[in-house]
Amino acid sequence: MRTLCQEESIKVPKGIKITIKAKIVEVKGKHGSLKRDFKHLPIELWLADGGKEVKARMYFAKSKQLSMLRSVCSHISNLFEGVEKKFEYKMRLVYAHFPINANIVNGGKTLELRNFLGEKIVRTVHMLPGVMIEKSASTKDELVVTGTDIELTGRSAALIHQSCLVKDKDIRKFLDGVYVSSHGAKEE
């Protein structure tokens, strides 16, 4: 069954500038600007209510295709949240015997992990563009990954996690690694 016309809308928060041109959404806020391209989706995107609301519309879509509308709105609200507050992933260094040594070099753009399971190799993880990493001031063995783009921030956290995977051992027993303990928008 096809739906004739379906529409979704989201409000633009105060203090945020948004421009939509040919399905390219650009959002500017106090933490910089983000751009996202939705050209691959068969939807209409436009600003309504004098630039205070973003509307997305779709014609003749089946129920599976209608899910695109809500996804686009979620992506745009993530852009709003990113330029307004920034996203933050907190990661904990977990070890049973050999303490993992984390060094932040290159001004918060690169992480070096040493002594994972007593190995001599130095694991180097480069953050994706626009993402910074720092050691937590309050908690021991905690890293904080921050950035405006939710996808790049999440992917950087995943790169750190994947760099310290236990190979050739029983992973139920060897639980060492770097794990995400919490994530979300940064509290002001």
Side-chain angles (χ1 to χ4, degrees):
M1 181 71 191
R2 288 176 183 269
T3 311
L4 273 178
C5 176
Q6 183 84 358
E7 209 170 88
E8 283 273 348
S9 67
I10 43 169
K11 294 257 186 290
V12 178
K14 278 194 175 75
I16 283 179
K17 285 198 176 84
I18 177 169
T19 52
I20 299 173
K21 189 169 186 225
K23 290 192 213 173
I24 293 176
V25 179
E26 199 164 348
V27 177
K28 285 190 178 79
K30 67 174 179 184
H31 289 301
S33 67
L34 289 173
K35 202 175 190 177
R36 185 128 192 185
D37 192 343
F38 295 108
K39 283 192 174 170
H40 60 288
L41 299 174
I43 57 166
E44 275 181 30
L45 269 178
W46 77 100
L47 283 172
D49 198 17
K52 289 187 183 139
E53 202 173 26
V54 180
K55 291 206 169 186
R57 183 192 286 156
M58 201 171 186
Y59 293 100
F60 303 113
K62 294 180 178 167
S63 60
K64 280 269 170 72
Q65 294 160 327
L66 286 177
S67 61
M68 279 189 260
L69 281 178
R70 190 90 204 114
S71 297
V72 166
C73 289
S74 298
H75 285 318
I76 293 172
S77 64
N78 278 338
L79 296 182
F80 291 153
E81 221 168 322
V83 295
E84 204 174 22
K85 295 181 189 165
K86 278 195 171 184
F87 288 101
E88 174 177 78
Y89 279 69
K90 287 186 173 165
M91 305 187 79
R92 295 297 295 266
L93 305 172
V94 178
Y95 49 85
H97 188 275
F98 294 103
I100 302 171
N101 181 327
N103 270 343
I104 292 155
V105 291
N106 202 356
K109 294 205 180 304
T110 310
L111 174 73
E112 288 180 351
L113 294 158
R114 287 182 170 79
N115 201 31
F116 173 69
L117 290 181
E119 294 172 5
K120 289 278 179 244
I121 187 171
V122 178
R123 291 168 161 78
T124 310
V125 185
H126 299 287
M127 297 295 105
L128 296 166
V131 181
M132 297 294 279
I133 184 164
E134 61 203 18
K135 282 189 177 175
S136 172
S138 53
T139 321
K140 179 181 175 275
D141 290 335
E142 188 173 63
L143 302 169
V144 183
V145 182
T146 52
T148 50
D149 191 328
I150 191 171
E151 297 207 351
L152 294 177
T153 313
R155 273 170 55 202
S156 297
L159 287 172
I160 296 168
H161 173 71
Q162 286 173 344
S163 72
C164 282
L165 294 178
V166 179
K167 302 275 196 267
D168 300 329
K169 291 184 178 64
D170 186 351
I171 56 169
R172 295 168 300 182
K173 183 74 181 154
F174 291 83
L175 298 169
D176 297 31
V178 188
Y179 297 96
V180 175
S181 58
S182 69
H183 64 90
K186 209 169 176 179
E187 294 304 317
E188 291 298 306

